[in-house]
């Protein structure tokens, strides 16, 4: 009988394992599928919010603002930002993993891909649907790939790392981060709107809700797996 991982976890039950232990913790094919599906859905959520034209998410207000000051694409701005956020993991002792690398390298291209497929709707009702759908899809996507326990993306690793270190809920930590990033994005010239406010206040509770059902319960790491992280 498999024993759940007993290592340090966040309030949502996310284990803080090293890269090798993450791969050895069981149910790997399922977890890889959850990771890739979650990243693609996150790219769709970003595109829905931007094409809705009612205000991007706080992180994307930052990305859009930064893109105005750099001669690179929106997706590349996301990649560069992700690398920078990884530096904040050092004092949190947050463990990276395959999911961290995949998020850093793939989320920007997935966002660009979905932006190319979607156009801004003409009617306000459809734009509102894009905005609300973007918030819910983002929360679902986050729960899928973070819950796969292959290492969160840079931005969500900041969220889960702070939750683990402070004991705060995912909802509280995520909301604080989103509001702080929004303020910086506004200073950079990013566009805000009602969708930005809805996202900043709503994505934390929605993510916490989905995490209840989508966190993969891992097998206990063996001594060999743990030694592989040394």
């Amino acid at each position: 009988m498999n024993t759940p991982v007993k290592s340090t976890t966040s309030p949502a039950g996310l284990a803080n394992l090293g890269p090798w232990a993450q791969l050895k913790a069981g149910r790997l094919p399922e977890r890889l599928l959850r990771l890739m599906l979650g990243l693609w859905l996150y790219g769709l959520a970003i595109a829905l919010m931007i094409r809705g034209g009612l205000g991007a998410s706080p992180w994307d207000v930052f990305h859009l603002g930064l893109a105005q000051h750099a001669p690179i694409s929106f997706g590349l701005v996301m990649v560069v930002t992700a690398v920078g956020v990884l530096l904040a993991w050092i004092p949190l002792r947050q463990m990276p993993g395959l999911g961290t690398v995949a998020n850093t390298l793939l989320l920007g291209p997935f966002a660009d891909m979905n932006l190319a497929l979607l156009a801004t709707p003409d009617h306000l009702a459809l734009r509102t649907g894009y905005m609300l759908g973007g918030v819910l899809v983002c929360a679902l996507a986050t729960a899928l790939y973070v819950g796969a326990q292959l290492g969160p993306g840079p931005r969500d690793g900041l969220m889960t790392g702070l939750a683990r270190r402070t004991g705060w809920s995912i909802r509280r930590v995520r909301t604080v981060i989103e509001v702080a990033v929004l303020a910086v994005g506004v200073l950079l010239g990013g566009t805000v709107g009602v969708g930005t406010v809805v996202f900043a206040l709503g994505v934390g509770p929605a993510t916490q809700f989905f995490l209840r059902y989508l966190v993969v319960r891992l097998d206990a790491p063996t001594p060999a797996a743990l030694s592989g992280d040394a």
Side-chain angles (χ1 to χ4, degrees):
M1 180 176 177
N2 293 332
T3 303
V5 169
K6 299 297 184 181
S7 59
T8 302
T9 62
S10 75
L14 296 167
N16 186 37
L17 299 176
W20 186 247
Q22 289 168 8
L23 295 175
K24 289 291 189 178
R27 301 171 65 179
L28 185 59
E30 174 193 349
R31 291 162 59 214
L32 288 172
L33 179 61
R34 286 171 179 250
L35 169 65
M36 297 307 295
L37 178 60
L39 290 177
W40 185 87
L41 285 174
Y42 206 126
L44 174 61
I46 291 170
L48 284 169
M49 292 290 295
I50 292 176
R51 293 302 188 217
L54 296 176
S57 72
W59 272 111
D60 291 324
V61 170
F62 175 81
H63 296 143
L64 290 167
L66 187 58
Q68 296 180 27
H69 303 278
I72 54 177
S73 71
F74 175 81
L76 186 53
V77 165
M78 292 186 66
V79 173
V80 172
T81 299
V83 173
V85 172
L86 284 175
L87 297 176
W89 285 31
I90 298 173
L92 295 175
R93 298 181 182 177
Q94 180 71 13
M95 294 292 186
L98 179 61
T100 310
V101 177
N103 183 292
T104 300
L105 299 179
L106 296 179
L107 187 55
F110 281 164
D112 282 343
M113 182 186 306
N114 281 287
L115 282 168
L117 294 173
L118 293 176
T120 300
D122 294 328
H123 300 290
L124 180 60
L126 286 176
R127 292 166 62 194
T128 301
Y130 270 33
M131 179 265 290
L132 295 175
V135 173
L136 290 176
V137 172
C138 179
L140 174 62
T142 301
L144 271 171
Y145 76 77
V146 172
Q149 307 231 50
L150 285 166
R155 302 162 188 82
D156 291 304
L158 184 64
M159 172 186 71
T160 57
L162 284 171
R164 190 184 68 255
R165 298 282 286 183
T166 64
W168 290 1
S169 69
I170 291 290
R171 173 176 58 192
R172 184 179 182 185
V173 171
R174 176 112 192 200
T175 300
V176 169
I177 291 173
E178 299 290 347
V179 171
V181 170
L182 172 61
V184 177
V186 171
L187 292 176
L188 288 172
T191 303
V192 300
V194 64
T196 309
V197 177
V198 171
F199 188 98
L201 298 179
V203 76
T207 299
Q208 185 166 312
F209 171 80
F210 285 122
L211 276 171
R212 296 175 187 171
Y213 306 101
L214 293 174
V215 172
V216 178
R217 303 301 171 182
L218 302 180
D219 300 339
T222 64
L226 292 175
S227 65
D229 294 323

